[in-house]
mmCIF file of all heavy atoms in Angstrom:
data_model
loop_
_atom_site.group_PDB
_atom_site.id
_atom_site.type_symbol
_atom_site.label_atom_id
_atom_site.label_comp_id
_atom_site.label_asym_id
_atom_site.label_seq_id
_atom_site.Cartn_x
_atom_site.Cartn_y
_atom_site.Cartn_z
ATOM 1 N N LEU Y 182 17.288 24.748 16.221
ATOM 2 C CA LEU Y 182 16.384 25.738 15.666
ATOM 3 C C LEU Y 182 16.083 25.449 14.162
ATOM 4 O O LEU Y 182 15.002 25.602 13.655
ATOM 5 C CB LEU Y 182 16.822 27.133 15.784
ATOM 6 C CG LEU Y 182 16.678 27.754 17.183
ATOM 7 C CD1 LEU Y 182 17.317 29.119 17.246
ATOM 8 C CD2 LEU Y 182 15.216 27.891 17.586
ATOM 9 N N GLU Y 183 17.088 25.031 13.415
ATOM 10 C CA GLU Y 183 16.856 24.698 12.009
ATOM 11 C C GLU Y 183 15.869 23.573 11.852
ATOM 12 O O GLU Y 183 15.030 23.582 10.975
ATOM 13 C CB GLU Y 183 18.213 24.352 11.297
ATOM 14 C CG GLU Y 183 18.005 24.071 9.807
ATOM 15 C CD GLU Y 183 19.311 23.656 9.121
ATOM 16 O OE1 GLU Y 183 20.349 23.644 9.786
ATOM 17 O OE2 GLU Y 183 19.255 23.370 7.955
ATOM 18 N N ARG Y 184 15.989 22.481 12.692
ATOM 19 C CA ARG Y 184 15.068 21.439 12.640
ATOM 20 C C ARG Y 184 13.638 21.902 12.964
ATOM 21 O O ARG Y 184 12.669 21.416 12.367
ATOM 22 C CB ARG Y 184 15.432 20.304 13.596
ATOM 23 C CG ARG Y 184 16.658 19.498 13.121
ATOM 24 C CD ARG Y 184 16.855 18.293 14.023
ATOM 25 N NE ARG Y 184 17.827 17.318 13.531
ATOM 26 C CZ ARG Y 184 19.117 17.334 13.834
ATOM 27 N NH1 ARG Y 184 19.550 18.261 14.752
ATOM 28 N NH2 ARG Y 184 19.934 16.521 13.375
ATOM 29 N N VAL Y 185 13.505 22.782 13.899
ATOM 30 C CA VAL Y 185 12.126 23.367 14.248
ATOM 31 C C VAL Y 185 11.524 23.990 13.026
ATOM 32 O O VAL Y 185 10.407 23.793 12.680
ATOM 33 C CB VAL Y 185 12.283 24.359 15.394
ATOM 34 C CG1 VAL Y 185 10.930 25.027 15.678
ATOM 35 C CG2 VAL Y 185 12.721 23.605 16.706
ATOM 36 N N GLU Y 186 12.354 24.789 12.297
ATOM 37 C CA GLU Y 186 11.828 25.492 11.157
ATOM 38 C C GLU Y 186 11.491 24.550 10.001
ATOM 39 O O GLU Y 186 10.523 24.697 9.272
ATOM 40 C CB GLU Y 186 12.880 26.539 10.669
ATOM 41 C CG GLU Y 186 12.978 27.723 11.571
ATOM 42 C CD GLU Y 186 11.702 28.482 11.815
ATOM 43 O OE1 GLU Y 186 10.946 28.668 10.849
ATOM 44 O OE2 GLU Y 186 11.377 28.727 12.994
ATOM 45 N N LEU Y 187 12.305 23.472 9.834
ATOM 46 C CA LEU Y 187 12.050 22.474 8.798
ATOM 47 C C LEU Y 187 10.665 21.800 9.061
ATOM 48 O O LEU Y 187 9.927 21.566 8.096
ATOM 49 C CB LEU Y 187 13.187 21.447 8.722
ATOM 50 C CG LEU Y 187 14.541 21.900 8.180
ATOM 51 C CD1 LEU Y 187 15.600 20.831 8.380
ATOM 52 C CD2 LEU Y 187 14.365 22.245 6.689
ATOM 53 N N VAL Y 188 10.465 21.428 10.310
ATOM 54 C CA VAL Y 188 9.177 20.810 10.611
ATOM 55 C C VAL Y 188 7.958 21.732 10.350
ATOM 56 O O VAL Y 188 6.976 21.362 9.841
ATOM 57 C CB VAL Y 188 9.174 20.307 12.095
ATOM 58 C CG1 VAL Y 188 7.790 19.858 12.465
ATOM 59 C CG2 VAL Y 188 10.184 19.196 12.274
ATOM 60 N N LYS Y 189 8.114 23.054 10.759
ATOM 61 C CA LYS Y 189 7.096 24.021 10.451
ATOM 62 C C LYS Y 189 6.829 24.140 8.949
ATOM 63 O O LYS Y 189 5.659 24.163 8.485
ATOM 64 C CB LYS Y 189 7.487 25.387 10.996
ATOM 65 C CG LYS Y 189 7.550 25.421 12.536
ATOM 66 C CD LYS Y 189 7.955 26.872 12.952
ATOM 67 C CE LYS Y 189 7.971 27.019 14.508
ATOM 68 N NZ LYS Y 189 8.393 28.350 14.935
ATOM 69 N N ILE Y 190 7.879 24.205 8.179
ATOM 70 C CA ILE Y 190 7.754 24.342 6.732
ATOM 71 C C ILE Y 190 7.088 23.033 6.101
ATOM 72 O O ILE Y 190 6.276 23.173 5.203
ATOM 73 C CB ILE Y 190 9.135 24.552 6.074
ATOM 74 C CG1 ILE Y 190 9.680 25.918 6.473
ATOM 75 C CG2 ILE Y 190 9.044 24.424 4.519
ATOM 76 C CD1 ILE Y 190 11.113 26.159 6.154
ATOM 77 N N ALA Y 191 7.461 21.911 6.673
ATOM 78 C CA ALA Y 191 6.867 20.646 6.217
ATOM 79 C C ALA Y 191 5.356 20.646 6.410
ATOM 80 O O ALA Y 191 4.600 20.254 5.499
ATOM 81 C CB ALA Y 191 7.570 19.492 6.947
ATOM 82 N N TRP Y 192 4.892 21.054 7.580
ATOM 83 C CA TRP Y 192 3.473 20.979 7.803
ATOM 84 C C TRP Y 192 2.682 22.039 7.083
ATOM 85 O O TRP Y 192 1.570 21.934 6.662
ATOM 86 C CB TRP Y 192 3.155 21.100 9.346
ATOM 87 C CG TRP Y 192 3.495 19.805 10.072
ATOM 88 C CD1 TRP Y 192 4.644 19.614 10.877
ATOM 89 C CD2 TRP Y 192 2.852 18.541 9.965
ATOM 90 N NE1 TRP Y 192 4.664 18.305 11.289
ATOM 91 C CE2 TRP Y 192 3.565 17.598 10.744
ATOM 92 C CE3 TRP Y 192 1.798 18.065 9.218
ATOM 93 C CZ2 TRP Y 192 3.244 16.298 10.856
ATOM 94 C CZ3 TRP Y 192 1.449 16.736 9.386
ATOM 95 C CH2 TRP Y 192 2.128 15.826 10.178
ATOM 96 N N LYS Y 193 3.373 23.223 6.836
ATOM 97 C CA LYS Y 193 2.694 24.220 5.989
ATOM 98 C C LYS Y 193 2.616 23.669 4.532
ATOM 99 O O LYS Y 193 1.560 23.871 3.866
ATOM 100 C CB LYS Y 193 3.677 25.470 5.947
ATOM 101 C CG LYS Y 193 3.084 26.650 5.089
ATOM 102 C CD LYS Y 193 3.963 27.805 5.130
ATOM 103 C CE LYS Y 193 3.424 28.866 4.171
ATOM 104 N NZ LYS Y 193 4.267 30.122 4.197
#
Side-chain angles (χ1 to χ4, degrees):
L182 283 175
E183 183 182 356
R184 285 190 172 94
V185 173
E186 290 302 316
L187 287 172
V188 171
K189 290 179 181 178
I190 292 169
W192 288 108
K193 180 180 179 181

